[in-house]
Amino acid sequence: MAKGYNVLFVTSEVFPYSKTGGLADVSNSLPQALNSLGNEVRIISPKYGQLDERRLQIHEIKRLKDLSLKMNGIETKFSIKSSFIHGKNTKAQIYLLENLDFFKNKGIYQNIKTKQDFSNNDERYLFFCKAVLEILEILQWKPDVIHCNDWQTGLIPAFIKTIYKDNPYIRDIKTVFTIHNLAYQGIFPKTSFAKTGMPDEVFEAGSHNGKFSYMKTALAYADKITTVSEKYAEEIRTDKEYSEGMEDILDKRKKDLSGILNGIDYSVWNPEVDKLIDYRFTSQEIPLKWENKRELLSHFKIDYNEDTPLIGVISRLVAQKGFDLIEEALPQLMKENVHMIILGQGDEKYQKFLKAIEKKYKDKLAIVIGFDEVLAHKIEASSDMFLMPSKYEPCGLNQMYSLRYGTVPVVRNTGGLADTIIDYKKPNGNGFLFNKYSTKEFLDTIKTALNLYEDKDKWNKILRNGMSLDFSWKVSAKKYTGLYKTLV
Ligand code: ADP
């Protein structure tokens, strides 16, 4: 096996410790995949208030207890605890940063009661970034690369190149910064920058419209930048609709920017082994998929009918995911011969709309507001189609999960959706794509899918094409290892 690299994977969410979206799944499975290639990847993430130490087998490390660092002139105490993520034949160590000033409350980015962002998110993640660097020497484990993810980790590259530039333990560590979603930037007033203690040149590089952007700071200082699909990498660099005002810096860094598609952990998201679904099945056992559907529909008191397709949606309820289109399309869609289950949580306006329309169509539409991992697996296993009409989509995991579960995706042709879904008209087609962000195109495409559903032979071909694809991490983990190699 080739010589591997020591990599510290820094992330604000990791399944099963914390999860709001795809980043948590990636932070669990990518480090394990990298480790099976001979790298030594360790993860570090905050220990949020809701984490149950006993259930998650989190342990103290004596050496890493009662540490402290100075931030904005104030001494802050913290400890690092340890745990392991396990796959079938893989694992990765995870360090959890415990601190009572910033990570004591329940909630990841938001207060779970008020649903508002924590007002001190600037300090919470400034503290996280600083602590990551401060513990390295105490750990006595030196990473070749620190792999940062999204704005919450965005100050680390700039710290290394400024405040820590003369620190012999830190100065030559390389950084990779992965954009999982460019729209979440971590933008704060200039006063937040003052708390970092970094020189003014960092504000100049990382400011956006006079404010301090953690994301832009990372784009300016990281040694390499990646994002989670090739298509999204191109979109954010060349199209103002996607670039969130970052087009200049991304263009400047284009030589260092690349797209590497996220993978899927098939030990978790795979109908052959999935313990969370009622009936496990392979592509040769599709009738078992319908048994899952029968169970799920009966749970929601919807009558099963073989000829009525079940449409699934699992999503954050936000504009990005195309909920304006779903809102406009639903009344019309409900006139068709369909059953539908939507699981999600997010913006109040979408939650309200969905609960209201559910009342009108109780015999065919079920809405579940909340975050429910088990139900998410059941919906994937039971649905015939899966909708993702995203406005933009850096990668998207659910369309890839859907493919493996024989659930045919109907998606907008953008970002990672464009890189994974092949139009049904092609011989190897696995789903349905539409281009323009419009309700009409969306509805027309769903109707095309509904028509094709009636032709069982053609439908099964599309479904099997999807089930036979391999989106495991193997290929992408090699690409990340190759990227580390260019740096070290
Ligand atoms: P994003 O990270 O933009 O939210 P992805 O498609 O990359 O979108 O990943 C979403 C992940 O979060 C998937 O694993 C999906 O199943 C999960 N998910 C989203 N909303 C919910 C929910 N309400 N309940 C359970 N899982 C959810």
Side-chain angles (χ1 to χ4, degrees):
M1 203 177 282
K3 179 199 167 305
Y5 301 99
N6 284 355
V7 180
L8 185 62
F9 194 89
V10 190
T11 176
S12 56
E13 45 183 291
V14 189
F15 182 78
Y17 305 87
S18 50
K19 175 167 174 175
T20 69
L23 172 61
D25 288 0
V26 172
S27 301
N28 174 301
S29 47
L30 173 58
Q32 296 190 68
L34 288 165
N35 283 344
S36 42
L37 293 178
N39 299 295
E40 182 169 353
V41 182
R42 301 183 190 178
I43 307 160
I44 183 162
S45 193
K47 187 177 151 263
Y48 299 106
Q50 68 275 23
L51 268 69
D52 180 337
E53 287 199 11
R54 194 176 305 165
R55 188 176 68 78
L56 293 163
Q57 303 195 1
I58 299 170
H59 303 288
E60 250 176 41
I61 313 175
K62 274 222 177 82
R63 218 156 25 97
L64 299 176
K65 228 181 124 183
D66 299 328
L67 307 173
S68 74
L69 65 78
K70 236 186 183 167
M71 196 177 89
N72 200 20
I74 300 165
E75 191 94 358
T76 306
K77 285 208 158 52
F78 65 98
S79 297
I80 301 288
K81 296 191 165 175
S82 167
S83 181
F84 280 91
I85 285 171
H86 291 270
K88 206 167 162 213
N89 300 307
T90 52
K91 66 175 183 176
Q93 185 171 15
I94 172 165
Y95 296 117
L96 293 151
L97 170 70
E98 181 181 78
N99 167 269
L100 297 182
D101 298 306
F102 299 115
F103 298 119
K104 182 172 159 241
N105 292 337
K106 291 185 179 168
I108 300 178
Y109 314 120
Q110 297 184 337
N111 180 314
I112 51 172
K113 280 204 197 107
T114 63
K115 303 256 162 68
Q116 300 293 316
D117 284 0
F118 288 118
S119 60
N120 62 345
N121 269 341
D122 60 338
E123 291 182 352
R124 292 172 81 230
Y125 291 105
L126 162 62
F127 172 72
F128 178 49
C129 290
K130 247 194 137 169
V132 165
L133 295 172
E134 289 286 323
I135 62 162
L136 291 178
E137 208 169 340
I138 311 167
L139 267 184
Q140 280 301 307
W141 178 76
K142 185 171 168 170
D144 301 303
V145 175
I146 298 185
H147 189 150
C148 303
N149 296 279
D150 272 352
W151 73 263
Q152 294 85 354
T153 64
L155 301 184
I156 290 174
F159 271 135
I160 294 178
K161 289 190 172 142
T162 58
I163 290 184
Y164 294 89
K165 73 176 192 304
D166 299 319
N167 180 318
Y169 205 83
I170 292 178
R171 65 185 174 208
D172 55 351
I173 297 175
K174 302 296 184 204
T175 54
V176 171
F177 180 77
T178 298
I179 305 166
H180 295 263
N181 193 333
L182 189 63
Y184 296 86
Q185 292 238 332
I187 294 192
F188 300 102
K190 195 172 178 183
T191 46
S192 296
F193 172 72
K195 300 175 193 170
T196 69
M198 286 195 276
D200 287 345
E201 72 207 42
V202 176
F203 184 76
E204 270 139 47
S207 64
H208 183 55
N209 297 332
K211 293 192 167 175
F212 183 50
S213 160
Y214 280 38
M215 172 72 79
K216 192 173 176 197
T217 305
L219 300 180
Y221 285 91
D223 294 308
K224 291 282 177 195
I225 303 165
T226 71
T227 186
V228 288
S229 68
E230 284 179 22
K231 180 77 179 177
Y232 189 61
E234 177 197 314
E235 286 170 343
I236 55 177
R237 194 172 62 75
T238 58
D239 188 337
K240 286 205 163 109
E241 265 197 39
Y242 298 92
S243 65
E244 303 289 336
M246 296 292 118
E247 60 277 357
D248 290 346
I249 178 100
L250 286 170
D251 196 55
K252 202 167 140 196
R253 298 294 319 267
K254 68 178 172 220
K255 272 206 221 105
D256 296 312
L257 169 69
S258 59
I260 301 179
L261 194 71
N262 282 337
I264 298 300
D265 185 344
Y266 287 126
S267 69
V268 179
W269 291 97
N270 181 355
E272 289 179 39
V273 299
D274 191 335
K275 292 199 183 69
L276 302 178
I277 64 179
D278 295 306
Y279 299 90
R280 289 184 270 286
F281 59 95
T282 65
S283 60
Q284 304 308 313
E285 300 167 316
I286 298 306
L288 285 175
K289 179 175 170 66
W290 303 331
E291 291 307 310
N292 281 301
K293 173 168 150 181
R294 195 190 287 277
E295 288 285 335
L296 190 64
L297 287 176
S298 112
H299 173 79
F300 288 109
K301 302 195 170 58
I302 297 175
D303 292 334
Y304 175 85
N305 174 354
E306 201 184 317
D307 298 324
T308 307
L310 172 61
I311 303 180
V313 176
I314 305 162
S315 182
R316 292 183 289 118
L317 303 180
V318 293
Q320 175 208 338
K321 298 292 182 182
F323 273 87
D324 294 324
L325 297 194
I326 291 183
E327 189 172 336
E328 272 184 40
L330 258 186
Q332 295 232 45
L333 191 51
M334 285 296 109
K335 292 184 190 143
E336 305 286 329
N337 174 30
V338 293
H339 291 152
M340 196 162 175
I341 299 180
I342 302 180
L343 165 64
Q345 63 181 11
D347 292 357
E348 194 62 38
K349 63 172 178 177
Y350 300 126
Q351 296 189 172
K352 268 199 187 136
F353 162 78
L354 290 171
K355 287 314 274 182
I357 190 164
E358 182 192 34
K359 285 206 185 101
K360 258 176 115 175
Y361 298 100
K362 266 202 144 37
D363 56 333
K364 58 198 303 186
L365 172 65
I367 304 290
V368 180
I369 302 295
F371 196 93
D372 187 335
E373 192 73 23
V374 177
L375 183 58
H377 282 250
K378 290 190 173 180
I379 293 175
E380 285 293 5
S382 308
S383 303
D384 298 292
M385 301 171 197
F386 194 92
L387 305 184
M388 286 179 85
S390 304
K391 224 178 219 167
Y392 68 92
E393 193 58 76
C395 176
L397 296 175
N398 273 118
Q399 83 280 15
M400 291 192 269
Y401 298 156
S402 295
L403 289 174
R404 183 44 71 106
Y405 284 80
T407 303
V408 177
V410 178
V411 308
R412 188 161 164 258
N413 193 4
T414 182
L417 299 170
D419 284 353
T420 50
I421 303 306
I422 305 164
D423 191 79
Y424 74 98
K425 288 192 216 83
K426 300 199 172 134
N428 57 345
N430 59 21
F432 295 80
L433 293 149
F434 66 101
N435 289 313
K436 199 166 149 216
Y437 187 78
S438 85
T439 306
K440 183 174 180 310
E441 279 202 22
F442 179 41
L443 259 177
D444 286 350
T445 312
I446 300 175
K447 284 183 189 163
T448 308
L450 293 177
N451 281 332
L452 235 100
Y453 180 80
E454 290 173 13
D455 185 332
K456 285 285 173 276
D457 286 342
K458 282 193 183 147
W459 188 261
N460 283 334
K461 170 101 184 359
I462 300 171
L463 177 156
R464 289 218 169 82
N465 280 346
M467 287 187 89
S468 67
L469 290 175
D470 182 358
F471 287 109
S472 64
W473 273 106
K474 268 179 265 163
V475 177
S476 299
K478 272 195 194 135
K479 288 188 184 166
Y480 279 111
T481 308
L483 186 71
Y484 301 151
K485 189 174 175 190
T486 64
L487 286 172
V488 178

